Amino acid sequence: MSAKKTALTVLSAGLLVPAMLVVPAHAAPTPPSDGKAQPPKAPAAAAPPASMSTVGGALLGKPGVQVSPLAGAPALPTSLSGRSWIVADAETGEVLAANNAHWRLPPASTLKMLFADTVLPSLPKDQVHKVTEQEMEGIGAGSSMVGVKEDHEYSVHDLWLGVFLRSGNDAVHVLAAMNGGIDKTVKDMQAHAEELQALDTHVVSPDGYDAPEQVSSAYDLTLIARSGLQKQDFREYCGTAEAKFPGHQEPGKPREYFEIQNTNRLMTGSGGLSPYKGIAGVKNGNTTMAGSTFTGAAQQGNKKLLVTVMNPASGGLNSVYEETADLFDWGFAAIGKVKPVGQLVPPKSADTSSVGSPAQSHEHGPSAAGEGAGGAGVGTALGVAAGALAVIAGVAYAVNRRWPRGPRGRRTGGDEAS
């Protein structure tokens, strides 16, 4: 990929402010051309559990909408249908509002955020790997694919673009093989989820493909996204709108390449949506069991938000993006006008105070979907790292993790640059 192409397509090396994007913050979508397209619908679910995890605060363990408005606070959007959602300040970690935040639901490809946050640091991006037939086995039927071919070589950088832009399960399987195999990778991801205190998450498959007992929650996915955004490469990949991906290779001839576009519609504006002002990722998903899921990061001015929406019950293919955009709009207007209802907690190794307890059903109880298994915060300082990019790109931001003082004025951890 040329330097010019990179400058035009990498929308963010962190959270960004699109300097030349002059669309409304959220524009009404154009219906699909046939008027019939609908996202896969998850099985009809029971009500959320009466008792859920209280990690991050007692209110987050209660079913239903949790919000504590102060004077002048905007009303929450009336059109929300997501079974679970959360709005959090990406810098302070304060949860501004939530609905069934710890309901354990199938995550679909948003689980790839955990895969990347776990595996990405261990594989040099310039490492080149020749794909074997065995590495392409076991990919679920109907999986999203980027087009990886056996007996062809790919750089780690190429493969991560395939994961983030096209949600390619083929690229996930190759990277997992490079990490020591699927089983090892699943164990690594589960251990990392526990280190992050994402205790609603149970990993079965690294690509998020539907599997019995594979669950996460809006709270956990937001926590995982926040951790991933600490990493420069993670920020680059999740903020890339378009890229060239290696295609067929014939001996003695230049390799073919083809264009790939990010499936995050709030970034690309595909499907009739306008790009959301300030969007910087992070990851979407869509399967039969999970329905539509999405975790997004956006910045407007000096305000930075994370929003996760899981399985809207109404609307079409754009509903998860519409509801995310509505929650972004609300969150940017609500910062400073609501009392936080919870907190995104720090990793276990940096946490020295009580953060609540996981749900009683975490290991052996009923699943969030009704079938099968079902404190102190961390701040994120987002500092300017680079100047404006070309055309639609904005100002690039770096992410540095900053731990707040504990309840007795002590530091709960040291500054860690990304």
Side-chain angles (χ1 to χ4, degrees):
M1 186 185 305
S2 69
K4 181 178 179 181
K5 184 69 175 179
T6 301
L8 291 174
T9 61
V10 177
L11 292 183
S12 171
L15 297 187
L16 58 88
V17 183
M20 302 180 67
L21 195 60
V22 291
V23 298
H26 177 41
T30 301
S33 58
D34 61 5
K36 299 179 181 180
Q38 296 289 320
K41 292 296 183 183
S51 175
M52 293 177 282
S53 168
T54 59
V55 170
L59 289 176
L60 299 182
K62 295 183 177 182
V65 175
Q66 307 299 323
V67 63
S68 183
L70 301 173
L76 282 165
T78 59
S79 58
L80 300 176
S81 68
R83 293 163 74 189
S84 177
W85 52 260
I86 191 170
V87 184
D89 187 314
E91 185 170 77
T92 67
E94 294 176 343
V95 177
L96 306 183
N99 177 48
N100 304 320
H102 282 290
W103 194 358
R104 304 179 74 212
L105 298 167
S109 286
T110 48
L111 194 66
K112 289 181 172 77
M113 295 188 298
L114 178 60
F115 171 69
D117 195 39
T118 303
V119 175
L120 192 153
S122 65
L123 299 176
K125 64 191 303 182
D126 58 353
Q127 181 178 343
V128 176
H129 177 77
K130 188 173 184 178
V131 176
T132 68
E133 180 180 358
Q134 290 75 20
E135 291 167 353
M136 301 293 286
E137 294 176 352
I139 299 174
S143 287
S144 52
M145 310 277 270
V146 67
V148 174
K149 303 296 183 184
E150 62 186 71
D151 296 325
H152 282 59
E153 292 185 341
Y154 301 87
S155 70
V156 167
H157 176 79
D158 293 330
L159 294 169
W160 282 121
L161 287 172
V163 171
F164 276 95
L165 273 67
R166 301 306 302 171
S167 207
N169 289 4
D170 46 357
V172 169
H173 275 244
V174 175
L175 288 165
M178 296 174 69
N179 186 59
I182 296 292
D183 291 345
K184 177 183 180 297
T185 298
V186 167
K187 291 178 182 178
D188 290 347
M189 290 170 65
Q190 190 66 57
H192 188 52
E194 292 172 6
E195 159 62 16
L196 294 178
Q197 304 203 68
L199 302 181
D200 299 322
T201 299
H202 181 236
V203 183
V204 177
S205 171
D207 52 23
Y209 189 82
D210 285 340
E213 301 187 9
Q214 179 151 273
V215 291
S216 189
S217 67
Y219 182 88
D220 280 15
L221 292 174
T222 307
L223 207 64
I224 292 163
R226 195 164 182 240
S227 175
L229 289 168
Q230 309 296 328
K231 299 172 176 63
Q232 181 178 350
D233 287 347
F234 186 105
R235 298 196 303 272
E236 175 191 342
Y237 297 131
C238 80
T240 299
E242 297 175 338
K244 288 185 176 180
F245 193 80
H248 186 65
Q249 173 73 70
E250 290 188 15
K253 294 184 179 181
R255 187 161 191 178
E256 298 175 0
Y257 285 82
F258 57 91
E259 296 283 342
I260 57 174
Q261 185 181 64
N262 202 311
T263 54
N264 174 357
R265 293 187 175 188
L266 288 186
M267 176 172 289
T268 63
S270 61
L273 287 173
S274 294
Y276 189 85
K277 182 180 179 181
I279 192 70
V282 179
K283 190 71 188 74
N284 57 319
N286 209 319
T287 65
T288 301
M289 288 179 62
S292 296
T293 60
F294 181 64
T295 297
Q299 177 173 342
Q300 293 182 10
N302 63 353
K303 300 175 181 179
K304 304 100 178 175
L305 293 179
L306 287 164
V307 170
T308 295
V309 175
M310 300 186 77
N311 190 15
S314 63
L317 288 168
N318 286 332
S319 59
V320 74
Y321 302 107
E322 294 165 356
E323 295 190 18
T324 297
D326 287 343
L327 286 169
F328 272 135
D329 288 347
W330 175 85
F332 285 122
I335 290 179
K337 299 177 182 178
V338 294
K339 182 180 178 181
V341 296
Q343 184 79 31
L344 299 179
V345 297
K348 187 186 301 182
S349 59
D351 186 26
T352 59
S353 59
S354 174
V355 294
S357 59
Q360 294 178 356
S361 63
H362 174 61
E363 294 298 334
H364 304 292
S367 83
E371 310 165 356
V378 51
T380 303
L382 305 174
V384 176
L389 298 177
V391 192
I392 63 172
V395 179
Y397 283 76
V399 178
N400 298 299
R401 190 156 45 199
R402 181 178 60 197
W403 308 119
R405 293 187 181 276
R408 291 187 294 275
R410 67 186 183 278
R411 295 291 291 185
T412 57
D415 290 345
E416 180 181 325
S418 60

